[in-house]
Amino acid sequence: MDSEDRIALFLDYENLALGVRDHHGGHAFDFRPIADALAERGRVVVRRAYADWSYFDEDRRMLTRSHVELIEIPQRMGATRKNAADIKMAVDAVELAFERDYLSTFVICTGDSDFTPLVYKLRELNKRVIGVGVEKSTSALLPPACDEFLYYDRLEGVEVPTTAGRWGGRPGRAPAPEVPQQPEPEPQPVAEEPARDVDTLAVLVAQTVAGLEGGTSGEVTASGLKRTLLRKDPTFSESDYGFRTFGELLRYLAEHNVVELAAGPAKGDPEVSLPERGDREAAFALLRSVVVDLAGGGAVALSGLKDQLRRARPDFSEKKLGYRSFLQFCKAAATTGTVDLRWSPDADDYLLTPRS
């Protein structure tokens, strides 16, 4: 039990409930998917929701069954509704951060950018902060401030309505009968969430592993890699790319020679590294052969060379090999003796020549 994260959960309930209603075709907010996601991350010891509950009578019962403490923020006539709840929630979170040392993680459920200073303050106090918000009503400022950000729409158990269902929340707006061309639900699927590009993911993982290998003396473990990916993008989730677990994602990338896996310091936490041979050697050989073909006994300018490599091998990407730029890839090839690389003031470019 001592190794478990202790979590304090704070819900800006009006922000969540209205966000779900507006962007999920009028559906009601369901607390269960959030509870399940947090159960995988630690032990939730504080659960508080803030709202004027006279506006959310049905929701009170649902939250009470889930052992959420309801903090009543009554509204006076003509008063601003949101500020009272926001201030109370921020004060309570900071107070608990000082008074309860055992709380290691704070979960702030809102999409409101007004809570960004609270997130920064909690992190200053050495607390891990997880944000939760409805994707279309979450400010772009909030997710990057958190250690991890979960979009409610992507949580297991949340039913996201189809595009057609999103337009059903407005009564009295029947479709105009004069527009028979509206049988255009054919292009409608384009409006659905586009599939995440696994090639882009491979580039991100390879670059991250390369950065960790260059910046640390020890091995790169799967758990350390996942933490770094979340620091780069708090909304990162392997499930967005079709993988059930991070281990499954790493096995897929290992099968495609993006990374190599070896036994790590703990069971279930393998060591991750970039391939020393294989694809990298093949890429260096490709570079040399293209330079030989183009040089004709002379030198080849770096500008435009990458396009020539892609003509020879359309799937070429130096980033999948862990290099941040094509120049860095060429410098690595020069270090191994594959080509010579020098700067030419006359050409105002790097020149490559094949090494015999």
Side-chain angles (χ1 to χ4, degrees):
M1 172 135 353
D2 287 337
S3 62
E4 283 186 317
D5 275 341
R6 263 60 162 211
I7 298 173
L9 169 65
F10 295 85
L11 294 102
D12 177 9
Y13 196 78
E14 185 167 342
N15 181 278
L16 288 176
L18 297 185
V20 171
R21 188 196 69 185
D22 292 346
H23 301 292
H24 285 215
H27 288 194
F29 170 78
D30 183 7
F31 176 69
R32 174 58 57 189
I34 293 178
D36 290 345
L38 296 182
E40 296 165 2
R41 289 163 171 79
R43 182 171 165 235
V44 182
V45 295
V46 175
R47 302 182 184 200
R48 294 181 184 175
Y50 297 75
D52 181 345
W53 296 107
S54 62
Y55 290 93
F56 302 102
D57 197 44
E58 284 301 314
D59 305 52
R60 296 168 64 139
R61 286 184 268 280
M62 177 264 295
L63 292 169
T64 303
R65 283 196 297 271
S66 298
H67 312 292
V68 177
E69 181 184 357
L70 306 182
I71 308 298
E72 179 74 45
I73 309 292
Q75 305 297 336
R76 298 187 306 278
M77 289 298 291
T80 10
R81 287 247 306 267
K82 80 188 250 334
N83 286 346
D86 289 4
I87 293 168
K88 172 66 173 163
M89 185 166 138
V91 168
D92 284 359
V94 172
E95 184 180 42
L96 276 186
F98 278 108
E99 290 185 351
R100 308 282 192 271
D101 287 340
Y102 56 81
L103 291 174
S104 55
T105 302
F106 282 69
V107 180
I108 308 298
C109 297
T110 184
D112 192 342
S113 62
D114 289 353
F115 284 97
T116 307
L118 169 64
V119 173
Y120 287 140
K121 180 54 66 178
L122 291 170
R123 293 182 70 181
E124 274 181 38
L125 296 170
N126 198 29
K127 305 298 182 183
R128 175 173 163 78
V129 181
I130 300 174
V132 182
V134 178
E135 190 160 8
K136 287 185 180 293
S137 61
T138 293
S139 164
L141 298 173
L142 190 60
C146 302
D147 293 296
E148 183 179 2
F149 198 91
L150 306 174
Y151 285 118
Y152 173 81
D153 323 57
R154 301 182 193 173
L155 295 178
E156 190 70 35
V158 175
E159 295 293 329
V160 180
T162 59
T163 307
R166 285 182 194 145
W167 302 100
R170 296 189 178 223
R173 294 290 298 265
E178 289 125 317
V179 191
Q181 301 133 272
Q182 215 164 1
E184 264 194 323
E186 270 30 285
Q188 215 80 343
V190 182
E192 291 177 14
E193 174 107 16
R196 298 295 180 105
D197 184 359
V198 179
D199 279 346
T200 304
L201 175 64
V203 167
L204 174 65
V205 171
Q207 287 185 331
T208 304
V209 172
L212 289 171
E213 285 184 336
T216 61
S217 51
E219 68 281 344
V220 179
T221 61
S223 58
L225 174 60
K226 176 73 179 279
R227 284 194 299 271
T228 306
L229 289 171
L230 282 170
R231 282 197 291 271
K232 286 185 170 185
D233 177 9
T235 68
F236 170 81
S237 172
E238 60 276 359
S239 63
D240 290 340
Y241 299 88
F243 299 98
R244 292 169 298 177
T245 64
F246 191 62
E248 184 179 317
L249 162 62
L250 290 179
R251 288 191 292 274
Y252 171 86
L253 294 179
E255 287 168 10
H256 289 77
N257 295 318
V258 177
V259 297
E260 287 181 350
L261 301 178
K267 187 178 178 183
D269 192 14
E271 184 180 334
V272 187
S273 60
L274 293 174
E276 290 299 324
R277 305 180 68 80
D279 270 15
R280 198 177 302 195
E281 279 195 350
F284 289 161
L286 172 69
L287 173 66
R288 186 181 188 284
S289 68
V290 170
V291 170
V292 167
D293 291 343
L294 295 174
V300 180
L302 182 72
S303 303
L305 182 57
K306 183 174 176 178
D307 290 336
Q308 298 297 327
L309 264 70
R310 281 191 167 152
R311 284 195 181 96
R313 194 172 113 190
D315 66 338
F316 170 79
S317 169
E318 75 281 355
K319 291 183 171 62
K320 283 187 185 177
L321 302 169
Y323 299 105
R324 298 186 181 278
S325 66
F326 186 62
L327 174 59
Q328 188 187 26
F329 167 73
C330 291
K331 285 180 176 178
T335 304
T336 62
T338 306
V339 293
D340 278 319
L341 178 72
R342 63 183 177 84
W343 173 257
S344 167
D346 295 334
D348 194 27
D349 200 353
Y350 283 96
L351 298 180
L352 292 91
T353 51
R355 221 181 249 190
S356 52

